[in-house]
Amino acid sequence: MSAAARRRPTVVVIHGPNLNLLGTREPAAYGSATLQDIDAVIRGLAEELDCDISTSQHSGEGEIIDVIHSAAVAGSAIVINPGAFSHYSYAIRDALAAADVPKVEVHLSNVHAREEFRRVSVLAPVVNGVVAGFGANSYLLGVRAVVAMLDK
Ligand code: DQA
């Protein structure tokens, strides 16, 4: 596709509950970077990938669902770290299932190497893929994946 014909991709990055505490929250599991540090790294990818990236953090399930709906209407790809909602939110699962856009679930930590309850994601079956265990890089890999899908 020519550069002129290519619509500038947009990616909506959603951080779920408790991720606003990064930097001080369980550093052994999540590292010492703050959410602001991580957002800056994510936004740094926008120029390289020639896309628009927005990031936001939401503690509530309903707010996350509203952002998913808006992204779907706009045709924006979704990169979501749903935090603990990953493990039990059927409402977020239904919102993602209804969003016909590229979508990737990401986790900072390797959820499969932690407590039993973190090994199950009720969202994983309705997204294109899951990236877990690479710290802030999980987000960058997720953004690259959805932009590649939008470019196809
Ligand atoms: C997390 C993993 C979840 O199990 C946990 O509830 C989080 C963060 C991660 O990024 O590793 O809040 O999504």
Side-chain angles (χ1 to χ4, degrees):
M1 193 190 300
S2 74
R6 176 183 183 261
R7 179 175 166 250
R8 192 171 163 85
T10 61
V11 182
V12 172
V13 176
I14 304 169
H15 306 289
N18 298 310
L19 295 167
N20 53 315
L21 301 179
L22 288 175
T24 54
R25 175 192 180 197
E26 299 182 76
Y30 301 117
S32 56
T34 65
L35 192 60
Q36 290 68 32
D37 296 334
I38 291 174
D39 278 347
V41 175
I42 295 169
R43 280 196 300 269
L45 251 194
E47 196 176 336
E48 181 193 329
L49 299 181
D50 190 24
C51 64
D52 293 320
I53 304 178
S54 70
T55 66
S56 58
Q57 187 273 332
H58 306 274
S59 299
E61 201 173 20
E63 296 162 44
I64 292 174
I65 291 166
D66 288 343
V67 176
I68 293 169
H69 291 171
S70 302
V73 168
S76 303
I78 298 169
V79 172
I80 180 167
N81 182 346
F85 284 136
S86 320
H87 313 304
Y88 66 91
S89 176
Y90 296 116
I92 292 176
R93 176 188 167 120
D94 285 349
L96 287 168
D100 188 17
V101 293
K103 51 209 164 181
V104 171
E105 173 183 343
V106 302
H107 297 282
L108 295 157
S109 64
N110 179 356
V111 283
H112 299 285
R114 300 181 63 199
E115 302 96 320
E116 190 77 37
F117 77 90
R118 295 188 204 277
R119 294 181 196 161
V120 173
S121 166
V122 300
L123 312 181
V126 300
V127 293
N128 296 105
V130 179
V131 184
F134 301 102
N137 255 329
S138 294
Y139 286 95
L140 305 185
L141 293 165
V143 169
R144 286 183 188 281
V146 293
V147 169
M149 290 178 71
L150 282 172
D151 271 347
K152 274 213 175 136

